[in-house]
Amino acid sequence: MKNKYSIFSLIKNAFSYHENWEKAWKDPEPKKEYDAVIVGGGGHGLATAYYLAKKHNMKNIAVVEKGWIGGGNTGRNTTIIRSNYLWDASAGLYDHALKIWEGLSQELNYNVMFSQRGVMNLAHNLQDVRDLKRRTHANRLNGIDSVYLNTEEVKKFCPIINTSQDIRYPVLGGTLQRRAGTARHDAVAWGYARGADEMGVDIIQNCEVKGIKRNGDTVEGIETTKGFIKTKKIGVVAAGHSSVIANMAGLKLPLESKPLQALVSEPVKPIIDTVVMSNAVHAYVSQSDKGELVIGAGTDDYVSYSQKGSHDIVEGTLNAILELYPIFSRMRMLRQWGGIVDICPDASPIISKTSIKGLYFNCGWGTGGFKATPGSGDLFAHTIANDEPHKLNAAFNINRFVSGDLVDEHGAAAVAH
Amino acid sequence: MFLINCPFCGEREQSEFKAGGEAHIVRPKQPTELSDDEWAEYLFMRKNIKGVQFERWNHVHGCRKWFNMVRDTSNDQIKAVYKMGEKPPVK
């Protein structure tokens, strides 16, 4: 049993200069065999392991990660959480996650710094206005809080936005989801890792998967840089590298992996207390608790695993930011980085069984997977444990690309993918 | 960001080009005879290779012509560029 984090443990450890905190998770060597192995130690993978142990009583499981946990897209995204998706299936999926976010810090006894500061999506042309109003109505029919704001209301909610109608892409209105917001990305990975470790899950870092062993149409285990691990169930949550793992098993996925960039500014005093996203000009901005502006740019349109994007993508985003927020004209950018996102043709994820028995994939989250971390883990754990999808992820099966029953969130999801 | 040697215009910045995805996916000759699985394979399934990949590109802000490229997607290094209809110069 791990010591509970509380004000008392904080005071107690202050006396020993915070040098004797117990390790949040062990660093074990892999066992010869597990009941299930999760490939990928990001937020989604760790959450999957956590819920497998907690809700499905599968304790003899492992998470294998080629680098360090939370070092991929979990540590690279802009931490926006929202559930204002257009289609019913997506609304169910993302709002399931948002509901878990609301109690996650308490459940994990780990402060994930979930902050419901609201997310505003701006409209810059007549079609945006129509789409955003339609989406607001669809959200409300699905029980998701969403309101449409006119230009004055946008200005009132976020006064630093330039609402002049003379700019190239004037603000014509926007939508607001007040339950939406941000969370501390690293804390999500660390909180789930600590919780899973406590229940006996082995978290094995620096362990890259090199092959998947099959006997006919059934999996037998994985070859890794730390040797062969026998298992009957493999859950792959490898984000940008999902296709690489799929190829090892002789599968093809409907994915393309592309660089997505983000950047942060130097830290400044509080200036923007919400998240503002703008689809048409592709600029997202929020402010971290350290005071940095966190800015999301777009994807490059070519396949790349280089974790580097093109400079012109960043330039385009900053042009848009400067037009919408002239107050930031003298801000200096501190860091810029890229992550590799796996994008489905319909911009919706895959949480599914495959044609190979015991092989499960949770991928295709594209540019917006962070928000779904808890829900994704919960539903993927259900799918692995029962060998059947939960009703909330039934629509996100891999066969939809054969049947044609796509969940087309391209353009509908309040963000350009 | 990288430079691309357009077979028609010469070396230009990548931002002048549009990526067109995996190359050498042949359009089915008899679409009406395809099963749903075969359609899915043609329309959606991609190799998405980490390493050397064959791709189509279009010089949208230049000559607007399509061509093929061999590129290592793990480091964005271009191995070869060749015109549509030509055989790939490297394996």
Side-chain angles (χ1 to χ4, degrees):
Chain A
M1 189 67 191
K2 284 196 171 30
N3 292 325
K4 195 170 159 28
Y5 289 154
S6 67
I7 183 75
F8 304 108
S9 68
L10 192 63
I11 293 167
K12 188 180 144 212
N13 279 281
F15 287 111
S16 54
Y17 303 96
H18 297 294
E19 285 172 357
N20 294 320
W21 284 98
E22 136 191 74
K23 277 195 173 170
W25 55 86
K26 298 179 290 290
D27 194 15
E29 286 301 308
K31 290 187 225 165
K32 289 217 163 16
E33 184 174 0
Y34 290 99
D35 294 338
V37 173
I38 306 300
V39 178
H44 290 242
L46 294 163
T48 305
Y50 175 85
Y51 292 112
L52 271 174
K54 189 178 177 194
K55 293 173 98 171
H56 305 283
N57 207 29
M58 289 179 71
K59 306 280 164 91
N60 182 31
I61 60 175
V63 178
V64 294
E65 162 58 46
K66 74 170 171 180
W68 63 96
I69 60 166
N73 293 350
T74 300
R76 292 165 186 267
N77 67 87
T78 52
T79 78
I80 298 169
I81 296 162
R82 60 188 179 88
S83 65
N84 55 351
Y85 280 69
L86 177 68
W87 301 110
D88 294 351
S90 317
L93 178 68
Y94 291 102
D95 210 49
H96 177 61
L98 184 49
K99 282 176 188 147
I100 302 176
W101 277 114
E102 287 173 331
L104 193 60
S105 291
Q106 286 72 22
E107 184 187 336
L108 294 177
N109 178 227
Y110 204 104
N111 188 3
V112 299
M113 295 164 72
F114 180 50
S115 159
Q116 291 179 296
R117 60 184 67 182
V119 169
M120 194 157 66
N121 296 101
L122 300 180
H124 295 280
N125 54 53
L126 198 54
Q127 191 58 43
D128 275 0
V129 172
R130 291 180 185 132
D131 287 345
L132 260 54
K133 281 185 177 167
R134 178 191 179 203
R135 188 164 51 72
T136 307
H137 295 313
N139 288 160
R140 291 166 79 164
L141 286 172
N142 277 318
I144 293 168
D145 67 308
S146 186
V147 288
Y148 186 81
L149 308 178
N150 63 28
T151 308
E152 289 74 43
E153 289 163 332
V154 167
K155 182 81 179 169
K156 199 174 165 198
F157 190 71
C158 184
I160 60 168
I161 293 182
N162 177 10
T163 50
S164 159
Q165 296 302 298
D166 296 333
I167 61 177
R168 177 68 182 83
Y169 297 103
V171 177
L172 300 183
T175 64
L176 174 63
Q177 185 182 18
R178 289 183 192 275
R179 282 166 63 231
T182 60
R184 170 97 168 96
H185 47 11
D186 296 326
V188 179
W190 298 337
Y192 273 123
R194 179 170 173 264
D197 182 88
E198 185 175 0
M199 291 183 283
V201 176
D202 279 354
I203 296 165
I204 303 157
Q205 304 183 72
N206 298 312
C207 181
E208 185 174 353
V209 174
K210 291 292 187 187
I212 292 180
K213 195 174 172 207
R214 283 167 57 177
N215 180 7
D217 279 341
T218 311
V219 295
E220 289 194 325
I222 52 170
E223 295 286 354
T224 74
T225 48
K226 292 192 175 183
F228 180 72
I229 303 172
K230 196 175 165 193
T231 184
K232 287 195 176 72
K233 292 189 175 197
I234 303 169
V236 182
V237 206
H241 282 71
S242 297
S243 296
V244 176
I245 307 279
N247 290 343
M248 291 174 189
L251 280 182
K252 246 162 128 185
L253 295 172
L255 297 174
E256 287 194 306
S257 296
K258 298 175 176 182
L260 175 66
Q261 296 178 84
L263 56 164
V264 295
S265 72
E266 58 192 337
V268 290
K269 288 186 176 178
I271 182 70
I272 179 163
D273 63 355
T274 185
V275 183
V276 185
M277 307 177 65
S278 184
N279 183 356
V281 297
H282 219 294
Y284 322 138
V285 65
S286 63
Q287 192 171 16
S288 74
D289 292 339
K290 277 190 286 184
E292 305 153 327
L293 294 181
V294 183
I295 294 169
T299 50
D300 281 291
D301 67 348
Y302 53 87
V303 169
S304 177
Y305 289 84
S306 65
Q307 291 194 329
K308 281 184 284 195
S310 303
H311 184 71
D312 55 296
I313 299 279
V314 172
E315 195 178 9
T317 291
L318 289 179
N319 284 343
I321 294 275
L322 285 189
E323 187 167 71
L324 280 175
Y325 313 91
I327 192 174
F328 295 149
S329 67
R330 294 185 189 185
M331 292 283 280
R332 282 170 295 189
M333 291 298 139
L334 209 59
R335 299 192 306 279
Q336 169 272 347
W337 63 91
I340 302 304
V341 296
D342 45 328
I343 302 176
C344 268
D346 60 354
S348 286
I350 296 167
I351 312 170
S352 178
K353 305 202 293 188
T354 63
S355 53
I356 299 166
K357 190 169 164 41
L359 184 63
Y360 306 85
F361 269 88
N362 182 353
C363 59
W365 289 95
T367 59
F370 177 74
K371 66 173 80 70
T373 304
S376 157
D378 183 31
L379 299 172
F380 195 42
H382 181 101
T383 307
I384 293 173
N386 299 304
D387 198 36
E388 277 301 320
H390 188 278
K391 68 178 187 328
L392 286 174
N393 69 310
F396 298 96
N397 65 71
I398 204 164
N399 282 333
R400 72 179 190 266
F401 297 97
V402 176
S403 70
D405 190 10
L406 304 180
V407 188
D408 189 6
E409 288 289 353
H410 259 305
V415 52
H417 290 270
Chain B
M1 176 170 267
F2 43 88
L3 295 172
I4 295 175
N5 193 9
C6 172
F8 308 97
C9 311
E11 204 163 68
R12 300 292 173 87
E13 280 185 18
Q14 171 265 321
S15 56
E16 287 189 16
F17 297 81
K18 172 97 182 131
E22 191 179 318
H24 306 300
I25 299 174
V26 182
R27 187 177 167 80
K29 287 209 168 65
Q30 296 286 346
T32 48
E33 287 169 19
L34 250 51
S35 69
D36 288 353
D37 281 320
E38 287 165 332
W39 261 123
E41 179 73 20
Y42 167 69
L43 277 178
F44 297 125
M45 300 303 165
R46 295 292 176 262
K47 288 181 191 153
N48 196 24
I49 292 167
K50 182 180 187 177
V52 175
Q53 166 159 299
F54 295 82
E55 305 175 322
R56 298 178 304 174
W57 284 74
N58 186 356
H59 194 182
V60 278
H61 299 297
C63 61
R64 301 184 64 188
K65 284 187 181 136
W66 284 93
F67 59 94
N68 289 318
M69 189 193 287
V70 189
R71 190 171 57 93
D72 188 336
T73 59
S74 64
N75 56 16
D76 292 337
Q77 280 189 2
I78 298 168
K79 305 287 179 195
V81 171
Y82 56 102
K83 291 178 184 170
M84 283 287 165
E86 288 179 3
K87 285 224 162 119
V90 285
K91 288 218 167 154

